[in-house]
Each structure stands twice: as C-alpha cells, then as structure tokens.
Amino acid sequence: QPHVPLAPSPRFCNRSAAGSYGDTLLEMDEAIGELGRIVSEAGAARSTLTLFASDNGPWVEMAPAAGSAGPLRGGKFTTYEGGIRVPALPGAVPAGRVTAAVASLLDVLPTAVRLAGGTPRAQLLDGRDLRPLLSGRSEAGPHRCLFFFGGTPGAGCRGDRRRRRRRRRW
C-alpha cells in the first residue's frame, strides 16, 4: 500500500472515488500492468517472479488517506490480521486457492532460491520454502509457530526455538 503523503501524477488525479489514495492505487495498477506487459513481450513471463508485498497493512490513524484493511482488524504497527495479512506471488497460486496457513515475508528468500533451482542454507535463514503451500500440494504452513513483535524494533520467526537460536543481538 502506498504511504502518505500521497502524490498521484496529474494524469491520475481525481479519477477515483477513493480520493488521492484511490488515484495512487490506479496509478500503481497501471504501472504494474505495464511492467507485466513488458516482461511478457520479452518472452520472460514464465521465468519471472512477480511479488506484491506490503509492510503491515494500512496506516489506520491516517484513514482514509492511507487505505483500509476492509473487514480485518488492525493495520500498520499492529499484529492483528489487518496488519500482517498481505497478498503476494500472483500467478504462483492456483485461482480460488484459500488457506488458513500462516507465512511471512521471511519466507520469500528461501522460496525464491528454490524456484531458481538453488538450495538455501537453512541454518542462516528464518524463512521456509512456501512452494508446497502455494501450489496446493500441502495445506499446512511451513512454521510450527510464527512470532510477531508489535511496537518493538524487529520481528522474529522462530519455528522450533530450541534448534534455532539467534546468535547476534536484535
């Protein structure tokens, strides 16, 4: 989601019923569509990973200028679902797929490494490979537990804490 202050270009001003926020989303949508078109025309669509991510939902205190989490509770700076649930990886997930599994942006790196044919060094990463979950081969998320620390610097994803200890300070 875009941050405030919002500054849609003149071509997009006053095009949305949602004000500057909606205008900014329309501009982002067009730019992302243009990137997708360029990738397709170059013949690289099947070998290109497109990722949409956000840093913890809308800034609720700035509403309506900073978006909405819709029916979800919370937003930026919270650990409620509206603050952590974001869409990602278009095209990698079968249409209509719904899951209650929890994943994290920490999982993007090991997933991307696997998609590229590599092997991530697990002892150095907190994230896990999401391919089985995203493809529908598994209903379970990759984490036994996933911790979010709202209002403090940093967040952690720990799986089995006995085997995965942080060696450095946050």
Side-chain angles (χ1 to χ4, degrees):
Q1 294 195 356
H3 282 268
V4 293
L6 301 171
S9 62
R11 188 164 68 95
F12 290 89
C13 285
N14 302 314
R15 284 189 45 196
S16 166
S20 290
Y21 184 79
D23 295 343
T24 301
L25 290 181
L26 286 172
E27 186 168 8
M28 287 174 54
D29 182 63
E30 184 172 297
I32 292 164
E34 179 68 9
L35 286 172
R37 184 187 63 74
I38 291 168
V39 168
S40 291
E41 286 177 359
R46 293 189 51 82
S47 62
T48 300
L49 174 66
T50 303
L51 172 69
F52 292 96
S54 176
D55 65 340
N56 302 322
W59 195 352
V60 178
E61 292 82 4
M62 298 295 289
S68 166
L72 305 177
R73 180 180 180 188
K76 191 176 298 304
F77 309 118
T78 75
T79 55
Y80 294 113
E81 194 170 9
I84 60 174
R85 186 192 229 190
V86 295
L89 299 170
V93 180
R97 173 122 171 84
V98 177
T99 180
V102 177
S104 165
L105 279 174
L106 295 169
D107 299 321
V108 171
L109 179 58
T111 303
V113 169
R114 287 290 191 185
L115 287 169
T119 303
R121 294 181 57 192
Q123 71 272 21
L124 300 178
L125 301 175
D126 290 324
R128 307 275 174 81
D129 184 3
L130 295 176
R131 291 174 309 151
L133 176 65
L134 294 174
S135 68
R137 292 189 316 252
S138 173
E139 290 297 320
H143 302 280
R144 188 176 65 84
C145 46
L146 188 62
F147 296 98
F148 293 93
F149 303 97
T152 60
C157 171
R158 285 289 164 256
D160 185 345
R161 292 174 58 183
R162 291 168 295 192
R163 290 186 297 156
R164 297 166 75 59
R165 289 185 215 150
R166 184 91 178 154
R167 295 184 192 274
R168 294 180 305 265
R169 295 180 128 191
W170 286 101

